[in-house]
Amino acid sequence: MTTYRIALAGNPNTGKSTLFNALTGLRQHTGNWAGKTVERAEGEFTHNGKTFRVIDLPGTYSLYSNSADEEVARNYIIFEKPDVTIVVLDATSLERNLNLALQVLEMTNRVVVCINLMDEAAKLGIRINLDRISERLGVPVAAISARSKTGIEALLDLVEKVASGRIVPVPIRVTYSEEIEQSIQKLEPFIRQTLGDLFPARWVALRLLDGDGSLLAALKEHAGESAPVKEVVNYGQTVCH
Ligand SMILES: Nc1nc2c(ncn2[C@@H]2O[C@H](COP(=O)(O)OP(=O)(O)OP(=O)(O)O)[C@@H](O)[C@H]2O)c(=O)[nH]1
Ligand SMILES: [Mg+2]
């Protein structure tokens, strides 16, 4: 029987661990990420007769290389390629939270956006048009209150559909300045030719343009003897300075 792998990503304090606990109950264990002092929580649950293994990623404001937390979250999404990444957002500060959602959407299309703390939003009189957000982002959106375990079933139905390929999200693409878009256009074909669909080419191009040395190091470590990855890393080092 297949076990789907799910990651929970999101800004700090958006209720990821509350959701994680609601999903897994006692079927969880914690430890540290290899080589890091960042806590790693992993657990299991079933839904509609399917088994899901879920990782509670550290809360981060971005997925670049600013901290060990960000590297852990980024590396998991890029290298471990979960079947679905649930991006947990705080309903009371959606605008700020959506920044991370957009970053995840550049890394993978297998995303479900989960708007949590709906109870708090209701108290503040905030109303959220879920259909519109889903339409604009190009991915399914569910609304929950993790603390009171409201909305979890509907969330899991969407997660299962994305995991099984019955829903194939088509995320919006952020368009950058003319100059950046031109540089991406130059880099992307090389990355795609070299890496195939091992990693999202546009995202790798953006990271190279960003001079993200830590990503290059992670790619190198991950690649082992992979010649194509080494080629991109070498190329990247000439672009990044
Ligand atoms: N009112 C309300 N509070 C919630 C809800 N979900 C989580 N919380 C509270 O929000 C706080 C943060 O929740 P956590 O689950 O620790 O958040 P987190 O995203 O894991 O935080 P980090 O691990 O620091 O990134 C806790 O006090 C939770 O009880 C919810 O649906 N409604
Ligand atoms: Mg947490």
Side-chain angles (χ1 to χ4, degrees), residues 12-13 15-18 39 56-59:
N13 232 25
K16 294 177 299 302
S17 299
T18 307
E39 192 180 278
D56 186 12
L57 294 175

Side-chain angles (χ1 to χ4, degrees), residues 1 9 11 18 51 53 65 74 92 98 101 110 137 203 211 240:
M1 203 178 79
N11 286 1
T18 307
T51 306
R53 183 170 290 268
S65 304
R74 175 203 67 201
T92 69
L98 277 167
R110 313 188 67 148
L137 294 178
W203 179 82
C240 302

Side-chain angles (χ1 to χ4, degrees), residues 216-241:
L216 290 177
L219 278 173
K220 214 171 190 169
E221 192 184 311
H222 188 81
E225 288 311 303
S226 162
V229 175
K230 280 184 186 158
E231 208 178 316
V232 167
V233 170
N234 290 338
Y235 186 64
Q237 276 159 348
T238 64
V239 183
C240 302
H241 32 254

Side-chain angles (χ1 to χ4, degrees), residues 29-135:
H29 59 267
T30 53
N32 275 355
W33 290 87
K36 313 249 184 196
T37 51
V38 178
E39 192 180 278
R40 184 183 203 278
E42 185 168 7
E44 237 179 58
F45 64 92
T46 54
H47 177 73
N48 290 345
K50 311 265 170 27
T51 306
F52 295 81
R53 183 170 290 268
V54 54
I55 294 270
D56 186 12
L57 294 175
T60 58
Y61 291 106
S62 68
L63 291 166
Y64 304 133
S65 304
N66 301 316
S67 66
D69 284 359
E70 291 193 10
E71 288 178 6
V72 160
R74 175 203 67 201
N75 288 354
Y76 190 80
I77 295 171
I78 285 296
F79 297 128
E80 304 305 323
K81 302 182 196 305
D83 295 301
V84 181
T85 299
I86 302 178
V87 183
V88 183
L89 308 182
D90 176 348
T92 69
S93 49
L94 268 189
E95 193 174 345
R96 186 185 59 174
N97 278 231
L98 277 167
N99 195 347
L100 187 89
L102 291 174
Q103 288 180 36
V104 175
L105 292 178
E106 283 182 330
M107 300 161 81
T108 168
N109 67 340
R110 313 188 67 148
V111 172
V112 172
V113 163
C114 169
I115 304 182
N116 186 32
L117 293 131
M118 288 300 285
D119 55 330
E120 293 295 328
K123 277 186 215 157
L124 295 169
I126 297 171
R127 287 171 49 203
I128 297 171
N129 187 337
L130 300 175
D131 290 340
R132 188 81 184 108
I133 293 180
S134 174
E135 204 181 295

